[in-house]
């Protein structure tokens, strides 16, 4: 499996991914701070409502979760969908590995990369905002339960595989990306919670389990799919 992961990893420009990840985190941090500034000094007629309940750290995590779901869908496109769309996946099937191993290696690579990006982003945002909150009054930090963060993180990664189920219907790149955006819009809905639906551990866990079931269905269909 490790050899397969190395083969798949070579298809990704990891350096550009890391640079993009750093840039994304800086943008999310600045956006969260800027929003906190506006909320701390609301102008007349500016709606506050639920947004006022969000601390800077919660807002940063909300945005980070949304971005990572879309990011994961892009990885899915690069590692899986495009190869099926262009039929270059057939080259892999000539390797001395079973079809099951190759597909599972792709799934595992997407999971590991997204998990690594998610852990880094969460730690980066939490530490940065904590340090800034000690210097800037409008930057607010609220520590979250480690178990809650872990459950939400893993569940969101599982949910991030849902676009694969949709995209593999017709090996569609557009359907994969658009479905991830739809998930972000629905998951970031603040009616149920200021931090969005995806920030609620129970809801996030339920959606993650559903996505895993659909992932298994997708995996089985990929095993019998004619290229």
């Amino acid at each position: 499996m490790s050899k397969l992961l190395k083969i798949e990893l070579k298809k990704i420009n990891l350096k550009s991914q890391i640079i993009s990840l750093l840039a994304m985190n800086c943008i999310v941090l600045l956006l969260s701070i800027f929003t906190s500034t506006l909320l701390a000094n609301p102008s007349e007629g500016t709606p506050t409502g639920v947004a006022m309940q969000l601390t800077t750290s919660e807002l940063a995590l909300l945005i980070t979760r949304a971005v990572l779901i879309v990011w994961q869908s892009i990885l899915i496109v690069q590692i899986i969908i495009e190869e099926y769309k262009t039929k270059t996946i057939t080259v892999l099937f000539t390797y001395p590995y079973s079809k099951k191993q190759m597909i599972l290696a792709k799934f595992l690579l997407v999971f590991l990369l997204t998990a690594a990006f998610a852990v880094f982003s969460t730690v980066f945002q939490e530490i940065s905002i904590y340090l800034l909150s000690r210097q800037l009054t409008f930057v607010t930090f609220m520590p979250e339960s480690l178990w809650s963060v872990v459950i939400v993180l893993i569940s969101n990664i599982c949910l991030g595989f849902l676009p694969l189920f949709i995209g593999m219907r017709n090996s569609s790149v557009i359907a994969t990306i658009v479905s991830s955006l739809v998930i972000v819009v629905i998951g970031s809905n603040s009616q149920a919670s200021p931090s969005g639906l995806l920030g609620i551990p129970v809801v996030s866990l339920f959606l993650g389990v559903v996505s895993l079931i659909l992932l298994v269905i997708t995996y089985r269909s990929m095993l019998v799919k004619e290229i």
Side-chain angles (χ1 to χ4, degrees):
M1 184 63 74
S2 60
K3 290 183 178 179
L4 280 173
L5 287 174
K6 289 179 181 178
I7 292 173
E8 293 295 333
L9 194 57
K10 289 179 181 179
K11 301 174 185 177
I12 301 173
N13 190 333
L14 196 56
K15 183 178 179 180
S16 66
Q17 291 280 345
I18 293 174
I19 293 173
S20 299
L21 179 68
L22 292 172
M24 180 273 287
N25 273 285
C26 290
I27 292 172
V28 169
L29 180 61
L30 292 174
L31 181 60
S32 301
I33 294 173
F34 177 71
T35 304
S36 295
T37 306
L38 295 179
L39 295 178
N41 302 285
S43 58
E44 187 176 346
T46 300
T48 52
V50 177
M52 282 295 292
Q53 301 175 30
L54 280 174
T55 62
T56 308
S57 57
E58 289 174 328
L59 180 60
L61 290 181
L62 173 63
I63 299 173
T64 299
R65 292 187 194 108
V67 173
L68 286 174
I69 286 178
V70 178
W71 197 309
Q72 185 173 346
S73 72
I74 294 173
L75 286 176
I76 289 173
V77 166
Q78 293 178 335
I79 297 173
I80 303 173
I81 302 295
E82 282 188 345
E83 290 196 354
Y84 273 86
K85 186 178 180 65
T86 59
K87 301 187 186 304
T88 53
I89 188 73
T90 54
V91 176
L92 278 180
F93 294 156
T94 62
Y95 291 4
Y97 300 101
S98 68
K99 195 173 184 180
K100 290 181 179 180
Q101 288 178 309
M102 292 182 181
I103 294 174
L104 287 175
K106 289 178 178 293
F107 287 0
L108 182 58
L109 182 60
V110 172
F111 180 88
L112 291 177
L113 286 176
T114 307
F117 293 166
V119 170
F120 172 82
S121 299
T122 301
V123 172
F124 177 87
Q125 297 298 332
E126 292 286 276
I127 292 178
S128 298
I129 293 174
Y130 171 73
L131 294 176
L132 288 171
S133 68
R134 297 170 66 91
Q135 304 296 327
L136 305 172
T137 56
F138 56 83
V139 176
T140 52
F141 175 81
M142 178 178 289
E144 296 190 31
S145 165
L146 178 60
W147 284 110
S148 175
V149 172
V150 171
I151 290 173
V152 170
L153 187 149
I154 295 176
S155 299
N156 284 351
I157 294 175
C158 293
L159 180 61
F161 277 103
L162 183 57
L164 174 64
F165 172 78
I166 298 171
M168 279 301 294
R169 298 299 91 188
N170 295 300
S171 299
S172 173
V173 172
I174 295 177
T176 306
I177 303 297
V178 170
S179 60
S180 71
L181 293 173
V182 172
I183 292 172
V184 166
V185 172
I186 296 175
S188 300
N189 189 303
S190 61
Q191 295 299 317
S193 168
S195 58
L197 288 173
L198 298 183
I200 305 174
V202 175
V203 176
S204 184
L205 184 60
F206 172 76
L207 294 175
V209 170
V210 172
S211 298
L212 276 180
I213 294 172
L214 294 177
L215 180 61
V216 172
I217 295 174
T218 304
Y219 168 69
R220 290 180 176 177
S221 68
M222 290 172 70
L223 289 177
V224 298
K225 186 179 180 67
E226 295 292 335
I227 308 299

